[in-house]
Amino acid sequence: MKVIICGAGQVGYGIAERLSQEDNDVSVIDTSASLVTHITETLDVRGYVGHGAHPDMLAKAGADQADMIIAVTLYDEVNIVACEVAHALFSVPTKIARIRAQNYLRPEYADLFSRQNMSIDVTISPEIEVGKMVLRRISFPGATDIVRFADDHITMVAIECMEDCPVVNTPLQQLSQLFPDLMATVTAIYRNGRLQVARSTDQLLVGDLAYVICQRDHTRRTLGLFGHEEQEAGRLVIAGAGNIGYYVARAIEDVQPKTKVKLIERDAERAVMVSDQLSNTIVLHGSALDQHMLQQADIQDADLMVTLTNSDQTNILSAAMAKRMGCKSGMALINDPSFQDLTQGIGIDHHINPRAVTISRVLQHVRKGRIRSVYAVQKGKAEVIEAEALETSPLVGVAFRDMHLPPGIRIGAIYRDGAVLRPNGDLKIKAKDRVVLFAKADAVRDVEQMFRVSIQYF
């Protein structure tokens, strides 16, 4: 697949890195010569210095042969125009635009980016997607990662097995027998830096990270089964009142009005504006790295500190400081993958990876076949995929006990007619079922083939 990416910043780099690893033909356009130099020296991509919305730059990058354009510059208007030009002049089939300004995304303007109004197939808002991820992690503090599929009916939750985990050293097939009404399946295990697809004979060990696919309403029970019964934060301090921080604070006011939230923002003008928009949140003007400011926010009494500024270093240090000053738990937004492995060593309990959220949204449209949703885990070592079964799929009509899946794939749940089904030996997949599965990176192509429209379908 030939892909043009407009924007070589953090988001563009992350997308280019993943797509180039999969042997796609990737070209990147950016006005910054230093960013283009960096991305071409570190990745197998072509780079062009220029304006991503200008026809001559798109032509130079090969837009006339491109299968997809992904416009992720810092400017919404540039992203919109780049997609429009790619459509009008080069007939690029798939056009994805990053939209950051919340004014474009308000519910009353929901039709703005519909295909009859604009030549944009997909809009992605990393800030909102990351904000939703933060909210899920706040709601389920025992989860290391949590994502929803099948219209929010199915959840993938990553759970760390601690010393007091009740299910360690127990074969997975025995867990199914002990809890037959629990709609949850362990699909993969991350152990000592190695990711493996789970088998029914496997056992979980202390220190493992288990990837469990379950019915949404069974998420808390699943966490409890693994020994995670942490309570939701009643007192919350947020560092950073940008798009993500503001979105999280506003959503908490709407959904969890009893939660006490304090928001720290360094920019005075932004702090005043956000304060006017929020009703129950206390907005403080100052630096999250200032101990006096943290004391003013009563950090010693807080259940959770969430750091959501634009600086990884600020997020890491302020979360670590909060923990040392008495905050029960810390969560940091970290863009740079090289920082993410440092968090536990300095006392940060959880981190949010915005790249994973954004890249997953793009992969959903790169994947072939009836792929409805994708979420990349462990820096792209595997994906959790929601796919729709077709009449011609080799999985349809075959009992699970007779199903010979390619290595590296494990099915976690089936969504059919409003109900979530857990795989068992007698269950057969039907056409139009939505299948949520775990697949290692080298098995993704097999998944695409299993859910691809064959010539017999027509």
Side-chain angles (χ1 to χ4, degrees):
M1 178 179 288
K2 182 172 179 56
V3 182
I4 296 175
I5 300 173
C6 299
Q10 291 180 340
V11 174
Y13 185 96
I15 295 170
E17 181 180 38
R18 184 59 187 275
L19 295 184
S20 62
Q21 287 172 350
E22 298 185 359
D23 297 325
N24 291 292
D25 183 350
V26 180
S27 299
V28 181
I29 304 172
D30 200 287
T31 55
S32 169
S34 60
L35 287 178
V36 171
T37 299
H38 174 66
I39 202 168
T40 53
E41 288 180 348
T42 55
L43 303 178
D44 183 18
V45 303
R46 283 187 291 274
Y48 301 89
V49 179
H51 199 292
H54 289 176
D56 59 330
M57 288 308 305
L58 290 172
K60 189 180 296 185
D64 58 327
Q65 298 177 347
D67 300 294
M68 177 182 294
I69 181 170
I70 306 170
V72 289
T73 74
L74 292 175
Y75 306 102
D76 295 348
E77 292 74 19
V78 172
N79 298 336
I80 293 169
V81 173
C83 289
E84 292 285 356
V85 172
H87 172 78
L89 298 183
F90 303 103
S91 301
V92 177
T94 304
K95 300 156 288 288
I96 300 176
R98 175 191 188 184
I99 304 296
R100 301 179 70 204
Q102 302 304 296
N103 288 337
Y104 282 127
L105 303 171
R106 289 164 66 175
E108 57 264 40
Y109 307 136
D111 292 336
L112 176 61
F113 294 106
S114 60
R115 292 190 180 183
Q116 61 264 35
N117 292 328
M118 285 195 181
S119 303
I120 300 175
D121 301 289
V122 183
T123 59
I124 56 175
S125 175
E127 289 84 357
I128 289 181
E129 296 296 329
V130 172
K132 290 179 180 178
M133 173 66 74
V134 172
L135 289 168
R136 288 195 293 268
R137 296 282 288 276
I138 292 173
S139 298
F140 298 93
T144 301
D145 203 353
I146 182 166
V147 188
R148 288 178 180 157
F149 298 89
D151 300 333
D152 285 354
H153 289 89
I154 294 175
T155 298
M156 185 287 293
V157 57
I159 313 172
E160 187 175 0
C161 298
M162 311 296 282
E163 291 283 353
D164 58 351
C165 178
V167 298
V168 295
N169 302 320
T170 304
L172 298 180
Q173 61 187 1
Q174 190 172 333
L175 292 180
S176 300
Q177 296 165 3
L178 291 171
F179 306 97
D181 62 334
L182 181 65
M183 292 295 177
T185 303
V186 178
T187 56
I189 303 168
Y190 185 70
R191 176 183 298 159
N192 299 325
R194 182 172 174 269
L195 185 66
Q196 64 186 62
V197 170
R199 297 167 298 182
S200 59
T201 55
D202 287 337
Q203 299 181 23
L204 295 169
L205 305 178
V206 172
D208 284 353
L209 186 66
Y211 286 91
V212 185
I213 294 176
C214 63
Q215 183 176 328
R216 176 185 173 178
D217 295 342
H218 290 201
T219 305
R220 291 196 189 281
R221 186 182 169 196
T222 301
L223 286 166
L225 179 65
F226 279 75
H228 287 278
E229 296 182 343
E230 296 91 335
Q231 298 298 309
E232 291 184 50
R235 296 174 180 269
L236 181 67
V237 177
I238 300 174
N243 286 338
I244 300 174
Y246 170 68
Y247 177 87
V248 171
R250 188 182 64 183
I252 291 175
E253 285 190 347
D254 294 339
V255 180
Q256 299 170 282
K258 292 183 179 180
T259 302
K260 296 180 179 179
V261 181
K262 294 183 179 178
L263 182 59
I264 302 173
E265 171 54 41
R266 186 166 191 162
D267 182 85
E269 185 177 347
R270 177 71 180 178
V272 170
M273 187 194 77
V274 168
S275 179
D276 291 339
Q277 297 292 325
L278 298 171
S279 54
N280 299 323
T281 302
I282 297 174
V283 181
L284 304 173
H285 170 229
S287 171
L289 295 176
D290 184 343
Q291 291 192 30
H292 296 294
M293 177 55 59
L294 293 177
Q295 289 173 346
Q296 189 176 343
D298 297 320
I299 197 66
Q300 68 279 358
D301 299 322
D303 298 310
L304 177 64
M305 171 78 163
V306 184
T307 54
L308 303 172
T309 75
N310 290 326
S311 166
D312 285 353
Q313 291 87 339
T314 298
N315 293 339
I316 293 169
L317 290 173
S318 59
M321 286 174 58
K323 283 293 295 289
R324 295 192 66 177
M325 293 175 68
C327 183
K328 292 184 180 65
S329 184
M331 182 187 302
L333 180 73
I334 305 176
N335 285 280
D336 191 334
S338 62
F339 289 148
Q340 291 167 7
D341 295 331
L342 304 175
T343 54
Q344 292 186 338
I346 57 176
I348 298 174
D349 301 280
H350 304 287
H351 71 268
I352 301 290
N353 179 4
R355 278 193 184 187
V357 177
T358 307
I359 292 170
S360 296
R361 285 278 286 127
V362 172
L363 287 177
Q364 176 182 343
H365 302 281
V366 172
R367 296 284 171 256
K368 300 177 179 66
R370 290 293 181 91
I371 307 298
R372 283 179 165 266
S373 188
V374 173
Y375 184 72
V377 301
Q378 291 297 335
K379 301 177 182 178
K381 291 181 180 177
E383 294 175 11
V384 184
I385 299 173
E386 176 192 342
E388 181 181 344
L390 300 168
E391 292 281 0
T392 55
S393 170
L395 302 179
V396 170
V398 181
F400 265 83
R401 64 167 52 90
D402 300 322
M403 201 176 286
H404 300 290
L405 292 175
I409 298 173
R410 184 169 172 86
I411 295 175
I414 310 295
Y415 181 65
R416 176 189 299 164
D417 298 329
V420 176
L421 308 175
R422 187 177 69 176
N424 61 58
D426 297 323
L427 183 65
K428 296 180 181 180
I429 294 176
K430 296 181 179 181
K432 298 185 179 180
D433 280 357
R434 285 153 74 171
V435 182
V436 181
L437 55 84
F438 191 99
K440 294 184 70 174
D442 55 5
V444 169
R445 291 287 179 261
D446 293 319
V447 175
E448 291 179 326
Q449 289 300 322
M450 288 191 297
F451 294 95
R452 202 169 185 174
V453 178
S454 74
I455 193 66
Q456 298 155 336
Y457 187 75
F458 302 97

mmCIF file of all heavy atoms in Angstrom, residues 264-297:
data_model
loop_
_atom_site.group_PDB
_atom_site.id
_atom_site.type_symbol
_atom_site.label_atom_id
_atom_site.label_comp_id
_atom_site.label_asym_id
_atom_site.label_seq_id
_atom_site.Cartn_x
_atom_site.Cartn_y
_atom_site.Cartn_z
ATOM 1 N N ILE A 264 -4.553 21.838 37.480
ATOM 2 C CA ILE A 264 -3.427 22.777 37.507
ATOM 3 C C ILE A 264 -3.035 23.126 36.081
ATOM 4 O O ILE A 264 -2.776 22.239 35.262
ATOM 5 C CB ILE A 264 -2.215 22.163 38.249
ATOM 6 C CG1 ILE A 264 -2.594 21.784 39.683
ATOM 7 C CG2 ILE A 264 -1.047 23.133 38.245
ATOM 8 C CD1 ILE A 264 -1.503 21.013 40.419
ATOM 9 N N GLU A 265 -2.979 24.434 35.767
ATOM 10 C CA GLU A 265 -2.628 24.889 34.424
ATOM 11 C C GLU A 265 -1.603 26.022 34.518
ATOM 12 O O GLU A 265 -1.789 26.986 35.260
ATOM 13 C CB GLU A 265 -3.867 25.362 33.669
ATOM 14 C CG GLU A 265 -3.602 26.057 32.342
ATOM 15 C CD GLU A 265 -2.748 25.236 31.386
ATOM 16 O OE1 GLU A 265 -2.954 24.007 31.279
ATOM 17 O OE2 GLU A 265 -1.861 25.840 30.744
ATOM 18 N N ARG A 266 -0.527 25.895 33.746
ATOM 19 C CA ARG A 266 0.569 26.863 33.814
ATOM 20 C C ARG A 266 0.244 28.170 33.112
ATOM 21 O O ARG A 266 0.665 29.237 33.525
ATOM 22 C CB ARG A 266 1.825 26.232 33.206
ATOM 23 C CG ARG A 266 3.066 27.093 33.342
ATOM 24 C CD ARG A 266 4.314 26.301 33.044
ATOM 25 N NE ARG A 266 5.513 27.033 33.410
ATOM 26 C CZ ARG A 266 6.700 26.485 33.577
ATOM 27 N NH1 ARG A 266 6.838 25.183 33.425
ATOM 28 N NH2 ARG A 266 7.750 27.225 33.907
ATOM 29 N N ASP A 267 -0.513 28.094 32.006
ATOM 30 C CA ASP A 267 -0.836 29.287 31.229
ATOM 31 C C ASP A 267 -2.033 30.009 31.855
ATOM 32 O O ASP A 267 -3.119 29.431 31.978
ATOM 33 C CB ASP A 267 -1.156 28.894 29.784
ATOM 34 C CG ASP A 267 -1.456 30.098 28.908
ATOM 35 O OD1 ASP A 267 -0.509 30.696 28.389
ATOM 36 O OD2 ASP A 267 -2.641 30.438 28.769
ATOM 37 N N ALA A 268 -1.831 31.269 32.227
ATOM 38 C CA ALA A 268 -2.869 32.019 32.958
ATOM 39 C C ALA A 268 -4.130 32.198 32.121
ATOM 40 O O ALA A 268 -5.251 32.008 32.617
ATOM 41 C CB ALA A 268 -2.319 33.379 33.384
ATOM 42 N N GLU A 269 -3.972 32.547 30.847
ATOM 43 C CA GLU A 269 -5.136 32.772 29.988
ATOM 44 C C GLU A 269 -5.942 31.493 29.810
ATOM 45 O O GLU A 269 -7.177 31.503 29.876
ATOM 46 C CB GLU A 269 -4.668 33.307 28.635
ATOM 47 C CG GLU A 269 -5.795 33.700 27.702
ATOM 48 C CD GLU A 269 -5.289 34.296 26.396
ATOM 49 O OE1 GLU A 269 -4.089 34.632 26.328
ATOM 50 O OE2 GLU A 269 -6.087 34.407 25.447
ATOM 51 N N ARG A 270 -5.238 30.370 29.605
ATOM 52 C CA ARG A 270 -5.922 29.099 29.450
ATOM 53 C C ARG A 270 -6.630 28.701 30.749
ATOM 54 O O ARG A 270 -7.753 28.185 30.728
ATOM 55 C CB ARG A 270 -4.917 28.009 29.050
ATOM 56 C CG ARG A 270 -5.499 26.614 28.918
ATOM 57 C CD ARG A 270 -6.393 26.478 27.719
ATOM 58 N NE ARG A 270 -6.960 25.126 27.607
ATOM 59 C CZ ARG A 270 -7.807 24.741 26.671
ATOM 60 N NH1 ARG A 270 -8.215 25.589 25.744
ATOM 61 N NH2 ARG A 270 -8.277 23.508 26.640
ATOM 62 N N ALA A 271 -5.989 28.963 31.870
ATOM 63 C CA ALA A 271 -6.580 28.620 33.167
ATOM 64 C C ALA A 271 -7.890 29.367 33.380
ATOM 65 O O ALA A 271 -8.880 28.792 33.849
ATOM 66 C CB ALA A 271 -5.598 28.925 34.288
ATOM 67 N N VAL A 272 -7.916 30.647 33.029
ATOM 68 C CA VAL A 272 -9.129 31.450 33.198
ATOM 69 C C VAL A 272 -10.233 30.942 32.277
ATOM 70 O O VAL A 272 -11.389 30.795 32.692
ATOM 71 C CB VAL A 272 -8.836 32.943 32.921
ATOM 72 C CG1 VAL A 272 -10.131 33.745 32.865
ATOM 73 C CG2 VAL A 272 -7.908 33.506 33.982
ATOM 74 N N MET A 273 -9.883 30.647 31.027
ATOM 75 C CA MET A 273 -10.877 30.191 30.061
ATOM 76 C C MET A 273 -11.501 28.860 30.504
ATOM 77 O O MET A 273 -12.718 28.683 30.479
ATOM 78 C CB MET A 273 -10.241 30.027 28.681
ATOM 79 C CG MET A 273 -11.252 29.707 27.582
ATOM 80 S SD MET A 273 -10.459 29.121 26.079
ATOM 81 C CE MET A 273 -10.072 27.445 26.546
ATOM 82 N N VAL A 274 -10.643 27.925 30.914
ATOM 83 C CA VAL A 274 -11.133 26.614 31.347
ATOM 84 C C VAL A 274 -11.976 26.746 32.615
ATOM 85 O O VAL A 274 -12.998 26.074 32.773
ATOM 86 C CB VAL A 274 -9.944 25.644 31.557
ATOM 87 C CG1 VAL A 274 -10.400 24.379 32.275
ATOM 88 C CG2 VAL A 274 -9.305 25.286 30.225
ATOM 89 N N SER A 275 -11.550 27.608 33.507
ATOM 90 C CA SER A 275 -12.299 27.833 34.746
ATOM 91 C C SER A 275 -13.722 28.309 34.459
ATOM 92 O O SER A 275 -14.681 27.915 35.134
ATOM 93 C CB SER A 275 -11.575 28.840 35.632
ATOM 94 O OG SER A 275 -12.287 29.077 36.818
ATOM 95 N N ASP A 276 -13.849 29.144 33.432
ATOM 96 C CA ASP A 276 -15.174 29.645 33.062
ATOM 97 C C ASP A 276 -16.055 28.545 32.474
ATOM 98 O O ASP A 276 -17.288 28.606 32.575
ATOM 99 C CB ASP A 276 -15.041 30.789 32.045
ATOM 100 C CG ASP A 276 -14.432 32.050 32.666
ATOM 101 O OD1 ASP A 276 -14.499 32.175 33.905
ATOM 102 O OD2 ASP A 276 -13.902 32.887 31.918
ATOM 103 N N GLN A 277 -15.431 27.543 31.848
ATOM 104 C CA GLN A 277 -16.183 26.478 31.188
ATOM 105 C C GLN A 277 -16.589 25.347 32.141
ATOM 106 O O GLN A 277 -17.542 24.630 31.878
ATOM 107 C CB GLN A 277 -15.343 25.886 30.045
ATOM 108 C CG GLN A 277 -15.014 26.860 28.932
ATOM 109 C CD GLN A 277 -16.234 27.271 28.136
ATOM 110 O OE1 GLN A 277 -17.139 26.487 27.917
ATOM 111 N NE2 GLN A 277 -16.281 28.529 27.722
ATOM 112 N N LEU A 278 -15.859 25.204 33.252
ATOM 113 C CA LEU A 278 -16.127 24.135 34.206
ATOM 114 C C LEU A 278 -16.880 24.675 35.409
ATOM 115 O O LEU A 278 -16.664 25.815 35.821
ATOM 116 C CB LEU A 278 -14.820 23.479 34.653
ATOM 117 C CG LEU A 278 -13.995 22.803 33.539
ATOM 118 C CD1 LEU A 278 -12.635 22.392 34.052
ATOM 119 C CD2 LEU A 278 -14.747 21.586 32.987
ATOM 120 N N SER A 279 -17.745 23.861 35.986
ATOM 121 C CA SER A 279 -18.583 24.347 37.081
ATOM 122 C C SER A 279 -18.136 23.863 38.453
ATOM 123 O O SER A 279 -18.148 24.621 39.421
ATOM 124 C CB SER A 279 -20.042 23.927 36.845
ATOM 125 O OG SER A 279 -20.125 22.528 36.641
ATOM 126 N N ASN A 280 -17.696 22.595 38.560
ATOM 127 C CA ASN A 280 -17.348 22.041 39.864
ATOM 128 C C ASN A 280 -15.852 21.838 40.071
ATOM 129 O O ASN A 280 -15.413 21.531 41.175
ATOM 130 C CB ASN A 280 -18.060 20.691 40.073
ATOM 131 C CG ASN A 280 -19.571 20.835 40.030
ATOM 132 O OD1 ASN A 280 -20.111 21.828 40.511
ATOM 133 N ND2 ASN A 280 -20.244 19.848 39.469
ATOM 134 N N THR A 281 -15.079 21.979 39.004
ATOM 135 C CA THR A 281 -13.638 21.753 39.088
ATOM 136 C C THR A 281 -12.926 23.014 39.565
ATOM 137 O O THR A 281 -13.194 24.113 39.069
ATOM 138 C CB THR A 281 -13.078 21.343 37.714
ATOM 139 O OG1 THR A 281 -13.756 20.155 37.277
ATOM 140 C CG2 THR A 281 -11.588 21.086 37.779
ATOM 141 N N ILE A 282 -12.007 22.843 40.511
ATOM 142 C CA ILE A 282 -11.176 23.963 40.978
ATOM 143 C C ILE A 282 -9.960 24.065 40.070
ATOM 144 O O ILE A 282 -9.174 23.114 39.956
ATOM 145 C CB ILE A 282 -10.743 23.753 42.436
ATOM 146 C CG1 ILE A 282 -11.965 23.726 43.362
ATOM 147 C CG2 ILE A 282 -9.773 24.843 42.874
ATOM 148 C CD1 ILE A 282 -11.643 23.382 44.798
ATOM 149 N N VAL A 283 -9.808 25.201 39.401
ATOM 150 C CA VAL A 283 -8.687 25.409 38.479
ATOM 151 C C VAL A 283 -7.646 26.281 39.157
ATOM 152 O O VAL A 283 -7.939 27.396 39.610
ATOM 153 C CB VAL A 283 -9.158 26.052 37.161
ATOM 154 C CG1 VAL A 283 -7.973 26.231 36.205
ATOM 155 C CG2 VAL A 283 -10.236 25.194 36.497
ATOM 156 N N LEU A 284 -6.405 25.784 39.218
ATOM 157 C CA LEU A 284 -5.302 26.503 39.852
ATOM 158 C C LEU A 284 -4.285 26.910 38.801
ATOM 159 O O LEU A 284 -3.929 26.119 37.922
ATOM 160 C CB LEU A 284 -4.618 25.615 40.899
ATOM 161 C CG LEU A 284 -5.525 25.046 42.002
ATOM 162 C CD1 LEU A 284 -4.753 24.046 42.851
ATOM 163 C CD2 LEU A 284 -6.084 26.161 42.869
ATOM 164 N N HIS A 285 -3.821 28.166 38.884
ATOM 165 C CA HIS A 285 -2.811 28.653 37.939
ATOM 166 C C HIS A 285 -1.429 28.455 38.543
ATOM 167 O O HIS A 285 -1.119 28.983 39.606
ATOM 168 C CB HIS A 285 -3.035 30.135 37.631
ATOM 169 C CG HIS A 285 -1.913 30.747 36.857
ATOM 170 N ND1 HIS A 285 -1.316 31.939 37.213
ATOM 171 C CD2 HIS A 285 -1.262 30.310 35.751
ATOM 172 C CE1 HIS A 285 -0.357 32.220 36.367
ATOM 173 N NE2 HIS A 285 -0.308 31.246 35.454
ATOM 174 N N GLY A 286 -0.601 27.663 37.859
ATOM 175 C CA GLY A 286 0.747 27.422 38.342
ATOM 176 C C GLY A 286 1.360 26.212 37.673
ATOM 177 O O GLY A 286 0.771 25.613 36.766
ATOM 178 N N SER A 287 2.556 25.846 38.119
ATOM 179 C CA SER A 287 3.281 24.724 37.542
ATOM 180 C C SER A 287 3.060 23.458 38.367
ATOM 181 O O SER A 287 3.126 23.485 39.601
ATOM 182 C CB SER A 287 4.782 25.029 37.490
ATOM 183 O OG SER A 287 5.518 23.873 37.135
ATOM 184 N N ALA A 288 2.842 22.356 37.677
ATOM 185 C CA ALA A 288 2.672 21.068 38.360
ATOM 186 C C ALA A 288 3.994 20.558 38.919
ATOM 187 O O ALA A 288 4.018 19.561 39.647
ATOM 188 C CB ALA A 288 2.080 20.043 37.399
ATOM 189 N N LEU A 289 5.100 21.241 38.610
ATOM 190 C CA LEU A 289 6.404 20.885 39.160
ATOM 191 C C LEU A 289 6.741 21.698 40.410
ATOM 192 O O LEU A 289 7.803 21.514 41.000
ATOM 193 C CB LEU A 289 7.495 21.086 38.102
ATOM 194 C CG LEU A 289 7.426 20.176 36.871
ATOM 195 C CD1 LEU A 289 8.495 20.557 35.864
ATOM 196 C CD2 LEU A 289 7.584 18.713 37.282
ATOM 197 N N ASP A 290 5.857 22.586 40.788
ATOM 198 C CA ASP A 290 6.035 23.431 41.971
ATOM 199 C C ASP A 290 5.426 22.727 43.184
ATOM 200 O O ASP A 290 4.211 22.493 43.230
ATOM 201 C CB ASP A 290 5.369 24.784 41.731
ATOM 202 C CG ASP A 290 5.593 25.764 42.865
ATOM 203 O OD1 ASP A 290 5.970 25.332 43.973
ATOM 204 O OD2 ASP A 290 5.388 26.975 42.654
ATOM 205 N N GLN A 291 6.252 22.381 44.155
ATOM 206 C CA GLN A 291 5.749 21.665 45.323
ATOM 207 C C GLN A 291 4.695 22.468 46.079
ATOM 208 O O GLN A 291 3.739 21.891 46.605
ATOM 209 C CB GLN A 291 6.897 21.321 46.269
ATOM 210 C CG GLN A 291 7.843 20.270 45.711
ATOM 211 C CD GLN A 291 8.794 19.728 46.757
ATOM 212 O OE1 GLN A 291 8.470 19.680 47.938
ATOM 213 N NE2 GLN A 291 9.977 19.315 46.329
ATOM 214 N N HIS A 292 4.874 23.787 46.140
ATOM 215 C CA HIS A 292 3.884 24.628 46.818
ATOM 216 C C HIS A 292 2.535 24.562 46.087
ATOM 217 O O HIS A 292 1.476 24.558 46.734
ATOM 218 C CB HIS A 292 4.382 26.075 46.900
ATOM 219 C CG HIS A 292 5.618 26.239 47.726
ATOM 220 N ND1 HIS A 292 5.639 26.013 49.088
ATOM 221 C CD2 HIS A 292 6.890 26.588 47.376
ATOM 222 C CE1 HIS A 292 6.863 26.227 49.553
ATOM 223 N NE2 HIS A 292 7.635 26.574 48.527
ATOM 224 N N MET A 293 2.574 24.503 44.756
ATOM 225 C CA MET A 293 1.334 24.388 43.984
ATOM 226 C C MET A 293 0.653 23.038 44.256
ATOM 227 O O MET A 293 -0.569 22.954 44.414
ATOM 228 C CB MET A 293 1.630 24.553 42.492
ATOM 229 C CG MET A 293 0.425 24.369 41.577
ATOM 230 S SD MET A 293 -0.972 25.443 41.985
ATOM 231 C CE MET A 293 -0.206 27.061 41.815
ATOM 232 N N LEU A 294 1.459 21.970 44.321
ATOM 233 C CA LEU A 294 0.904 20.658 44.628
ATOM 234 C C LEU A 294 0.296 20.628 46.026
ATOM 235 O O LEU A 294 -0.755 20.018 46.244
ATOM 236 C CB LEU A 294 1.973 19.577 44.482
ATOM 237 C CG LEU A 294 2.493 19.322 43.052
ATOM 238 C CD1 LEU A 294 3.601 18.282 43.059
ATOM 239 C CD2 LEU A 294 1.358 18.865 42.144
ATOM 240 N N GLN A 295 0.952 21.311 46.965
ATOM 241 C CA GLN A 295 0.396 21.401 48.324
ATOM 242 C C GLN A 295 -0.916 22.182 48.318
ATOM 243 O O GLN A 295 -1.874 21.826 49.016
ATOM 244 C CB GLN A 295 1.403 22.062 49.256
ATOM 245 C CG GLN A 295 2.610 21.184 49.579
ATOM 246 C CD GLN A 295 3.677 21.919 50.361
ATOM 247 O OE1 GLN A 295 3.656 23.152 50.450
ATOM 248 N NE2 GLN A 295 4.623 21.181 50.913
ATOM 249 N N GLN A 296 -0.966 23.238 47.501
ATOM 250 C CA GLN A 296 -2.190 24.027 47.392
ATOM 251 C C GLN A 296 -3.334 23.181 46.820
ATOM 252 O O GLN A 296 -4.505 23.397 47.150
ATOM 253 C CB GLN A 296 -1.942 25.256 46.517
ATOM 254 C CG GLN A 296 -3.088 26.253 46.501
ATOM 255 C CD GLN A 296 -2.752 27.495 45.685
ATOM 256 O OE1 GLN A 296 -1.586 27.773 45.393
ATOM 257 N NE2 GLN A 296 -3.769 28.245 45.300
ATOM 258 N N ALA A 297 -2.967 22.212 45.981
ATOM 259 C CA ALA A 297 -3.965 21.298 45.403
ATOM 260 C C ALA A 297 -4.296 20.150 46.355
ATOM 261 O O ALA A 297 -5.061 19.259 45.987
ATOM 262 C CB ALA A 297 -3.459 20.752 44.079
#
